[in-house]
Amino acid sequence: MIALTLELQDEHVFISDLNNYLKNYKNNLNDKKNLQKISKILFILSNYVLKCHHKKEEKFIFPYLINKGGEEASLANEMMNQHKIIENLENQLESSLNMVALKTIDQKLLDLITILDSHIQEENTVVFAYAEISIDEKEKEKILNEINEFEKENPEFCNKDKYQKILNQLQ
């Protein structure tokens, strides 16, 4: 049996790590070093999460669920809407960091942290389960090949090791 979403779930572990860093830095926004660290995490979020991880879900997994219709389509559409919310929050945080608007940063970080936690939980426990059940083995193999090709075509965004090194430097 082919596990279509295993790599995406592994990526969720990395994204959860990013989110945990945000939680820690949110507690002391008056420290300029923490604002710089948040900026680096947003860089990872903008590049790796939004331009690689989310794109893989949106291009290769969600279309199958949408074509299936019903609850699967509803969930896939909700996940894509949440992707847009996450992107908007990331953009708003970038702007707020540039202006050092601490109150806005605090609220937007809370919003981002909350949606990332719930989003990952829902994808891992519900959406990906639907994908594993409703996509046949031949299609899974095709999708995995397409995802691998996408990663090869987008190394600047899909190199998790590069972003892990950036995250490790924040410790």
Side-chain angles (χ1 to χ4, degrees):
M1 180 174 177
I2 296 172
L4 175 63
T5 62
L6 198 58
E7 182 181 339
L8 294 169
Q9 291 179 54
D10 181 57
E11 291 172 4
H12 280 165
V13 172
F14 177 67
I15 298 165
S16 289
D17 289 345
L18 292 174
N19 210 27
N20 287 332
Y21 277 86
L22 289 174
K23 290 173 189 175
N24 289 334
Y25 300 141
K26 180 188 177 301
N27 292 330
N28 190 3
L29 294 176
N30 291 320
D31 184 343
K32 283 194 174 203
K33 288 181 183 175
N34 283 349
L35 295 179
Q36 292 167 345
K37 291 175 181 181
I38 290 169
S39 182
K40 288 184 180 182
I41 293 170
L42 292 177
F43 171 80
I44 298 169
L45 187 71
S46 173
N47 287 280
Y48 179 73
V49 178
L50 301 179
K51 295 176 183 162
C52 181
H53 177 79
H54 284 177
K55 292 301 177 215
K56 290 189 290 188
E57 292 173 340
E58 292 170 2
K59 289 179 77 167
F60 305 110
I61 306 294
F62 296 161
Y64 284 90
L65 297 176
I66 290 168
N67 286 336
K68 187 88 173 153
E71 182 69 16
E72 290 95 331
S74 212
L75 283 166
N77 283 317
E78 176 59 26
M79 293 300 100
M80 288 192 297
N81 286 336
Q82 288 182 15
H83 286 178
K84 290 176 187 159
I85 292 168
I86 292 166
E87 183 174 3
N88 285 335
L89 285 168
E90 188 276 329
N91 289 331
Q92 291 171 19
L93 273 163
E94 286 284 346
S95 296
S96 297
L97 279 171
N98 290 335
M99 296 183 295
V100 194
L102 296 182
K103 189 172 182 179
T104 304
I105 293 169
D106 186 60
Q107 183 56 55
K108 296 300 176 188
L109 272 175
L110 179 60
D111 293 346
L112 180 61
I113 288 164
T114 303
I115 194 168
L116 282 172
D117 278 342
S118 66
H119 181 82
I120 289 169
Q121 177 71 18
E122 189 166 10
E123 281 187 344
N124 282 350
T125 60
V126 180
V127 179
F128 289 168
Y130 274 122
E132 295 294 349
I133 293 167
S134 64
I135 301 172
D136 68 42
E137 296 296 303
K138 188 174 181 178
E139 285 301 315
K140 286 180 184 178
E141 190 173 333
K142 179 181 172 237
I143 292 168
L144 285 174
N145 288 332
E146 291 171 343
I147 288 173
N148 287 333
E149 193 60 35
F150 176 82
E151 290 174 340
K152 288 177 189 173
E153 291 170 357
N154 295 281
E156 69 276 18
F157 302 124
C158 293
N159 182 348
K160 188 171 91 174
D161 291 339
K162 173 175 97 173
Y163 298 108
Q164 182 68 57
K165 286 178 186 174
I166 295 169
L167 189 61
N168 291 343
Q169 291 171 353
L170 299 178
Q171 297 178 0

